Amino acid sequence: MLNGVDVYTGDGVIDWAHTYGSGVAFAFVKASEGIGIHDAKHASNIKNAKAAGLLTGSYHFFLPTSNATDQAKFFIDCVEQDGGFNGQMIPIIDAEKRSGMSITEYSASIQAWLDVVETHIGRKPGIYVNGDYANNELTHTFGAYPFWLAVWMSSPPTGPFGGWTNWTWWQN
């Protein structure tokens, strides 16, 4: 199993050489949030993590209070501005807040985001949620998408989780 990290501006300056040397193989780097926050350290974190030898991928923190299509386009613009998707792992939608939407409406909104990004990059993006959220806050229709599971335990979790029978990445 490969170890990885996820980072954003709030993590400060990261010593990527040390991170790689400690056994971390990949990093998901926050690119955007909603339709107006372009993470200030996305470009430098991607560049520096790659230079240290890590695989990289970009993620978007999804806000259900903003239009999903507009968020997907904003995410794409941010990543393209910072060097593009080439050479990166698949992009991820970080879906943690339903904000009063019904599960059906929320899931449809996530699907809209996924569709726009998939059309742009030509492959399925992934979804980040915790196990409880996958089971109780989403429709169980996302099983075809790679799953980044957040479950803080010492041994690998087993599914199913929502529409997934297994996870692609596990954050512990």
Side-chain angles (χ1 to χ4, degrees):
M1 184 178 326
L2 297 175
N3 289 320
V5 295
D6 69 286
V7 299
Y8 76 111
T9 294
D11 292 321
V13 176
I14 298 165
D15 181 341
W16 287 108
H18 175 76
T19 301
Y20 180 75
S22 71
V24 173
F26 66 90
F28 281 110
V29 179
K30 183 178 180 181
S32 56
E33 180 174 330
I35 57 171
I37 299 173
H38 182 172
D39 193 282
K41 291 189 178 176
H42 177 253
S44 63
N45 277 331
I46 290 285
K47 176 185 171 197
N48 295 333
K50 281 183 178 181
L54 282 80
L55 298 171
T56 61
S58 297
Y59 75 90
H60 174 79
F61 191 86
F62 186 75
L63 298 178
T65 54
S66 296
N67 179 278
T69 299
D70 291 343
Q71 288 188 72
K73 290 176 181 176
F74 180 68
F75 169 71
I76 291 166
D77 289 346
C78 291
V79 174
E80 294 293 354
Q81 179 181 333
D82 292 344
F85 292 96
N86 289 338
Q88 286 197 34
M89 298 183 298
I90 62 169
I92 302 289
I93 183 172
D94 179 348
E96 299 182 38
K97 298 180 179 184
R98 199 160 44 90
S99 298
M101 293 177 87
S102 73
I103 291 171
T104 302
E105 291 169 327
Y106 182 59
S107 296
S109 191
I110 290 170
Q111 186 65 59
W113 188 95
L114 293 166
D115 290 344
V116 171
V117 173
E118 183 174 355
T119 297
H120 182 77
I121 65 168
R123 54 191 172 142
K124 289 192 177 305
I127 303 173
Y128 169 88
V129 295
N130 69 45
D132 183 61
Y133 209 85
N135 287 330
N136 300 307
E137 302 294 329
L138 299 173
T139 58
H140 296 185
T141 58
F142 296 110
Y145 291 89
F147 181 34
W148 175 7
L149 173 64
V151 173
W152 298 273
M153 54 196 311
S154 58
S155 59
T158 58
F161 300 96
W164 293 278
T165 56
N166 206 349
W167 45 267
T168 306
W169 304 275
W170 164 43
Q171 182 172 347
N172 66 343

